[in-house]
């Protein structure tokens, strides 16, 4: 189906200067710095569901944590390295610790190891650049080059650079002094899971920019519930999908162009990224989508006590495989396009990260 002209995203002004100022005050360690300092062990295990191959689960605390919920997944290095997004549920006074990305190395000796990295947004306070949390659902993520794209349900897409990962001081005696680091320590404590200092975040990833939904959109403006990047007709596309329940309006899938050089949504001469295609009337409760060439896959959830569904086909013709996934399946991403996908589940006590052999379905 052709794209409606109102399905557009507009880039915000990059926060590169603010990120650079933060890099001048805190050690910039990038993705490699996190990989060299992984502090948690995952456990390889079988995963329920006919379509799920053996995967892994988190350590006991993350597996059962009621405060943080895993949502999105993105693969790197043919699936040996994974990124998983989590959102934090709101607590007192509707405050939230925000969202985070977990870096998982599946090749670590002794089994997968991982570490959480808090997503932050640079802000100016009394002329000083500080960091606030990023309160988004992070229902889907994608990686293209050095950029991480994070779904922001109501507002569009947020952009981060893996090279901008910063290390927080471990105590108030850092080189910049106690006073200047006080707000950093409060940020670390506020983003903990509430289960002790070991759950505080030692690394942060500042937001570089965003692609926003125009405010003039009406009540049926697109929800950016999840996203992924896949090749269509030999070019990378950003796929955005909506999560909708049975009594909501029918959900949609939308494809946007991606600049193959920058890895960002491609903008035209008018400074906007216009949709390439809008696909109406898609499956209810879909949680993730992945495309390669002409083949699409979707996940759909059915509540905490029911197995999830896997769809294969195209947006105008789906084949539904009922109950072949564990309960609570979320985002999808290709590790080997056309051959293998990765998925993550969300329910406490039943949280798995696992591959799906796409060539069998």
């Amino acid at each position: 189906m052709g794209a409606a002209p109102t399905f557009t995203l507009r880039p915000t002004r990059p926060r590169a200067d603010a990120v650079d100022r933060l890099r001048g005050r805190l050690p910039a360690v990038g993705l490699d710095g996190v990989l060299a300092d992984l502090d948690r062990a995952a456990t390889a295990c079988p995963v329920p569901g006919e379509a799920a191959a053996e995967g892994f689960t988190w350590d006991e605390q993350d597996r059962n944590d009621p405060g943080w919920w895993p949502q999105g997944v993105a693969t790197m290095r043919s699936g040996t390295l994974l990124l998983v997004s989590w959102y934090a549920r709101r607590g007192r006074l509707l405050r939230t610790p925000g969202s985070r990305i977990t870096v998982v190395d599946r090749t670590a000796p002794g089994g997968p190891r991982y570490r959480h990295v808090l997503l932050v947004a640079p802000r100016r306070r009394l002329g000083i650049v500080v960091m606030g949390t990023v309160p988004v659902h992070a229902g889907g993520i994608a990686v293209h080059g050095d950029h991480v794209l994070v779904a922001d349900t109501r507002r569009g897409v947020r952009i981060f650079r893996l090279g901008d990962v910063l290390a927080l001081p471990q105590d108030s005696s850092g080189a910049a002094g106690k006073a200047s680091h006080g707000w950093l320590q409060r940020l670390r404590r506020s983003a903990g899971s509430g289960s002790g200092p070991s759950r505080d975040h030692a690394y942060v990833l500042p937001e570089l920019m965003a692609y926003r939904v125009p405010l003039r959109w009406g009540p049926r403006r697109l929800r950016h519930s999840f996203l992924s990047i896949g090749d269509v007709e030999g070019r990378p596309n950003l796929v955005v999908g909506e999560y909708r329940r049975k009594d909501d309006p029918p959900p949609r899938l939308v494809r946007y162009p991606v600049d193959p050089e920058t890895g960002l949504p491609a903008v035209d001469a008018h400074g906007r990224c216009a949709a390439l295609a809008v696909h109406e009337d898609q499956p209810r409760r879909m949680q993730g989508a992945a495309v390669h060439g002409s083949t699409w896959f979707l996940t759909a959830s059915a509540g905490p006590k029911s197995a999830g569904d896997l769809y294969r086909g195209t947006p105008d013709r789906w084949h539904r495989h009922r109950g072949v996934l564990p309960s609570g399946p979320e985002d999808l991403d290709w590790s080997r396009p056309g051959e293998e996908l990765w998925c993550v589940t969300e329910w406490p006590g039943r949280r798995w990260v696992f591959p799906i052999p796409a060539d069998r379905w």
Side-chain angles (χ1 to χ4, degrees), residues 23-53:
R23 289 169 62 103
R25 296 159 57 191
L26 298 169
V29 299
L31 178 62
D32 288 341
V34 179
L35 288 171
D37 193 27
L38 303 176
D39 66 337
R40 296 168 175 81
T43 302
C45 64
V47 177
E50 186 180 353

Side-chain angles (χ1 to χ4, degrees), residues 159-238:
I159 309 295
F160 303 80
R161 280 187 312 213
L162 290 170
D164 291 332
V165 175
L166 307 175
L168 296 184
Q170 297 303 298
D171 54 48
S172 59
S173 61
K178 181 177 180 179
S180 62
H181 280 324
W183 63 272
L184 289 174
Q185 300 301 322
R186 289 193 295 273
L187 177 68
R188 288 188 65 218
R189 289 194 297 269
S190 70
S193 67
S195 303
S198 66
R199 295 289 129 170
D200 290 349
H201 295 76
Y203 297 93
V204 296
L205 179 57
E207 181 181 330
L208 176 66
M209 62 182 298
Y211 283 74
R212 296 296 189 207
V213 175
L215 294 178
R216 64 177 179 273
W217 281 16
R220 275 288 280 157
R221 67 181 185 177
L222 183 70
R223 287 182 183 176
H224 291 65
S225 301
F226 54 85
L227 57 79
S228 66
I229 291 179
D231 283 351
V232 179
E233 297 178 351
R235 294 184 60 85
N237 279 210
L238 172 65

Side-chain angles (χ1 to χ4, degrees), residues 245-260:
R245 295 183 176 88
K246 66 177 182 178
D247 296 328
D248 291 338
R252 297 161 291 191
L253 288 167
V254 178
R255 287 193 293 111
Y256 293 97
V258 171
D259 186 322

Side-chain angles (χ1 to χ4, degrees), residues 6-354:
T6 54
F7 284 84
T8 61
L9 293 168
R10 291 187 178 274
T12 63
R13 179 177 297 178
R15 300 179 177 182
D17 290 344
V19 173
D20 286 344
R21 291 185 65 177
L22 291 172
R23 289 169 62 103
R25 296 159 57 191
L26 298 169
V29 299
L31 178 62
D32 288 341
V34 179
L35 288 171
D37 193 27
L38 303 176
D39 66 337
R40 296 168 175 81
T43 302
C45 64
V47 177
E50 186 180 353
E54 181 173 291
F56 64 86
T57 189
W58 311 102
D59 71 11
E60 183 178 0
Q61 188 160 338
D62 288 326
R63 186 165 61 249
N64 298 293
D65 194 335
W68 286 93
W69 288 62
Q71 297 291 300
V73 63
T75 72
M76 302 178 68
R77 304 174 189 174
S78 299
T80 60
L81 178 63
L82 304 176
L83 302 182
V84 175
S85 64
W86 306 59
Y87 81 95
R89 292 199 161 183
R90 294 184 182 274
R92 295 178 180 177
L93 302 177
L94 297 180
R95 292 178 179 174
T96 172
S99 52
R100 69 189 183 194
I101 299 289
T102 300
V103 178
V104 184
D105 181 3
R106 295 181 52 237
T107 68
R113 293 189 63 81
Y114 66 97
R115 183 152 205 156
H116 303 310
V117 177
L118 187 69
L119 299 181
V120 295
R123 299 173 183 170
R124 288 189 177 274
R125 182 182 299 169
L126 300 177
I128 300 175
V129 177
V130 298
M131 295 181 289
T133 57
V134 178
V136 300
H137 194 74
I141 58 174
V143 176
H144 198 287
D146 195 40
H147 291 110
V148 180
L149 290 72
V150 178
D152 183 344
T153 309
R154 298 184 182 277
R155 302 185 67 184
V157 181
R158 302 210 187 197
I159 309 295
F160 303 80
R161 280 187 312 213
L162 290 170
D164 291 332
V165 175
L166 307 175
L168 296 184
Q170 297 303 298
D171 54 48
S172 59
S173 61
K178 181 177 180 179
S180 62
H181 280 324
W183 63 272
L184 289 174
Q185 300 301 322
R186 289 193 295 273
L187 177 68
R188 288 188 65 218
R189 289 194 297 269
S190 70
S193 67
S195 303
S198 66
R199 295 289 129 170
D200 290 349
H201 295 76
Y203 297 93
V204 296
L205 179 57
E207 181 181 330
L208 176 66
M209 62 182 298
Y211 283 74
R212 296 296 189 207
V213 175
L215 294 178
R216 64 177 179 273
W217 281 16
R220 275 288 280 157
R221 67 181 185 177
L222 183 70
R223 287 182 183 176
H224 291 65
S225 301
F226 54 85
L227 57 79
S228 66
I229 291 179
D231 283 351
V232 179
E233 297 178 351
R235 294 184 60 85
N237 279 210
L238 172 65
V239 174
V240 174
E242 295 180 301
Y243 172 84
R244 299 278 187 177
R245 295 183 176 88
K246 66 177 182 178
D247 296 328
D248 291 338
R252 297 161 291 191
L253 288 167
V254 178
R255 287 193 293 111
Y256 293 97
V258 171
D259 186 322
E261 295 186 3
T262 66
L264 299 175
V267 298
D268 58 22
H270 302 287
R272 64 183 184 182
C273 179
L276 296 170
V278 180
H279 305 285
E280 305 278 357
D281 299 325
Q282 298 304 305
R284 306 282 181 167
R285 293 180 173 269
M286 61 179 181
Q287 299 274 26
V291 61
H292 178 68
S294 61
T295 301
W296 292 67
F297 282 86
L298 293 180
T299 59
S301 63
K305 297 181 180 180
S306 300
D309 297 337
L310 180 68
Y311 290 79
R312 177 172 181 157
T314 62
D316 58 356
R317 188 173 183 178
W318 293 109
H319 179 71
R320 182 182 184 183
H321 300 279
R322 293 177 179 267
V324 298
L325 296 175
S327 62
E330 292 286 326
D331 198 21
L332 284 173
D333 192 33
W334 294 105
S335 56
R336 298 192 301 273
E339 298 180 18
E340 183 183 75
L341 295 150
W342 278 80
C343 184
V344 59
T345 63
E346 67 172 345
W347 297 111
R350 298 185 297 280
R351 289 175 172 163
W352 296 283
V353 186
F354 59 93

